Amino acid sequence: MKHLMKKSFAVLIAAALLFALIALPCSAKNDPVQEARAGVVKIYIEVTFNISDVTATFPWVVGSGSLIATDKKGTSSDLVLTCYHVIDDTFVAEDFAGYFGYDESYYNFFAPFEGMSMADIPYISTQYYVLLENDVKVGFTLDKNAYSVESDWAILHLDQKLNNIHALKLG
């Protein structure tokens, strides 16, 4: 009888562990935090400057955004929700000089351009892009009718539609 009880208890424990292992992936799959995290992308600006015949290009992480689902399953998107300040191209001389270790000579050189659009500075060209998990760069444009400086939000249109991804489903 003792042997049968031990065997029954072992079978019960094994069944409980098996059930837990089967249920674990199902619960993780429906975890809204994990699903939201999978739809977050980094937003970069690639800055190229040319000063005194010296040309340099460097990537600069300016923020992040969330892919917005454009289908009911949440697996397709060509839209990104981000903060407006992330894609605002107002030139901040201190930030740019800071890339060089806050070198005062760079700051003094760029200070006259403070507050201008980067597109208006003759020494600088920029390219904004979203960086996906597999280091794929996808360009975007700002929807001129879908942003608010005051509320600090913006919708970006990606240059290509992304499929088989996790995107934020808006209710």
Side-chain angles (χ1 to χ4, degrees):
M1 182 79 168
K2 244 184 189 180
H3 187 337
L4 184 61
M5 253 176 97
K6 281 184 181 179
K7 213 174 202 181
S8 296
F9 184 71
V11 168
L12 183 65
I13 294 293
L17 286 172
L18 182 60
F19 178 75
L21 288 174
I22 291 170
L24 185 65
C26 295
S27 64
K29 185 176 182 181
N30 295 327
D31 180 6
V33 173
Q34 290 300 327
E35 286 182 14
R37 184 177 292 144
V40 173
V41 294
K42 290 181 184 173
I43 300 172
Y44 279 77
I45 180 174
E46 199 167 79
V47 179
T48 302
F49 67 92
N50 186 333
I51 303 170
S52 303
D53 295 328
V54 174
T55 301
T57 300
F58 57 91
W60 194 350
V61 179
V62 291
S64 62
S66 295
L67 293 165
I68 300 173
T70 54
D71 67 346
K72 289 183 180 184
K73 293 180 184 177
T75 60
S76 181
S77 178
D78 62 349
L79 301 174
V80 173
L81 173 64
T82 189
C83 295
Y84 182 81
H85 75 266
V86 169
I87 49 92
D88 179 9
D89 78 339
T90 302
F91 183 75
V92 179
E94 188 175 27
D95 288 349
F96 197 76
Y99 188 82
F100 304 99
Y102 291 97
D103 185 312
E104 191 172 335
S105 62
Y106 282 109
Y107 178 76
N108 291 337
F109 180 82
F110 287 113
F113 302 109
E114 184 76 33
M116 291 176 64
S117 165
M118 281 199 214
D120 296 331
I121 301 173
Y123 311 106
I124 296 176
S125 64
T126 58
Q127 178 188 3
Y128 283 85
Y129 60 89
V130 168
L131 188 67
L132 303 177
E133 288 178 1
N134 49 358
D135 295 334
V136 173
K137 296 178 185 179
V138 178
F140 63 83
T141 55
L142 172 64
D143 184 330
K144 298 295 182 189
N145 297 313
Y147 71 91
S148 172
V149 176
E150 296 80 23
S151 299
D152 197 23
W153 63 269
I155 302 290
L156 312 175
H157 283 274
L158 298 177
D159 292 347
Q160 68 186 62
K161 191 165 194 137
L162 306 177
N163 295 307
N164 299 320
I165 49 95
H166 293 281
L168 182 63
K169 296 178 202 172
L170 300 180

